[in-house]
Amino acid sequence: QVQLVESGGDLVQTGGSLRLSCAVSGDTHKVKEMGWYRQAPGKQREMVATVTTGSATNHENYADAVKGRFSLSIDHAENTVHLQMNDLLAQDTAVYYCNAQTWTQGEYWGQGTQVTVSS
């Protein structure tokens, strides 16, 4: 089992910044990829950013809509994955979910954290 707890969501103005955090606990050694996804009202959940964690070289992947504005980082000592979000736009408003893909146990989701960008 893997447990994910997100934090950092808030109300921010256009152009502002936020940092989301995802604390990972449980069978962390079974995780091969971490990611952030988001779901806006009336829309499907979409990938924001992912990073592989099961090898010596971590591969990051970003949605086109956030490239150059968002960045992932991993704090191995704290088992936390951060999503730094800069130059936020109204269309970034959504519930952001942390996701963990494992080698043998499927995937896990956090409860979500609300990000609201006001103009």
Side-chain angles (χ1 to χ4, degrees):
Q1 294 277 336
V2 176
Q3 293 80 42
L4 307 173
V5 178
E6 301 105 330
S7 61
D10 206 342
L11 171 64
V12 64
Q13 290 188 332
T14 302
S17 298
L18 280 176
R19 189 175 81 154
L20 304 183
S21 299
C22 175
V24 188
S25 61
D27 294 332
T28 58
H29 61 285
K30 296 182 180 179
V31 175
K32 63 178 179 178
E33 182 179 285
M34 293 294 303
W36 286 94
Y37 292 71
R38 67 187 181 186
Q39 187 167 18
K43 295 187 177 181
Q44 290 188 330
R45 191 173 298 187
E46 62 178 3
M47 186 276 290
V48 175
T50 61
V51 58
T52 58
T53 59
S55 64
T57 303
N58 295 336
H59 175 72
E60 296 179 4
N61 185 41
Y62 295 90
D64 289 342
V66 307
K67 282 181 181 176
R69 300 188 296 122
F70 292 10
S71 63
L72 285 164
S73 63
I74 300 176
D75 184 337
H76 292 282
E78 297 293 330
N79 280 338
T80 301
V81 179
H82 300 290
L83 180 68
Q84 179 66 41
M85 306 187 295
N86 299 325
D87 298 323
L88 284 162
L89 307 171
Q91 50 263 47
D92 295 319
T93 295
V95 178
Y96 284 70
Y97 296 92
C98 183
N99 173 272
Q101 301 276 340
T102 66
W103 294 104
T104 60
Q105 295 179 349
E107 64 178 349
Y108 294 87
W109 292 94
Q111 81 285 356
T113 185
Q114 177 71 46
V115 172
T116 303
V117 184
S118 64
S119 57

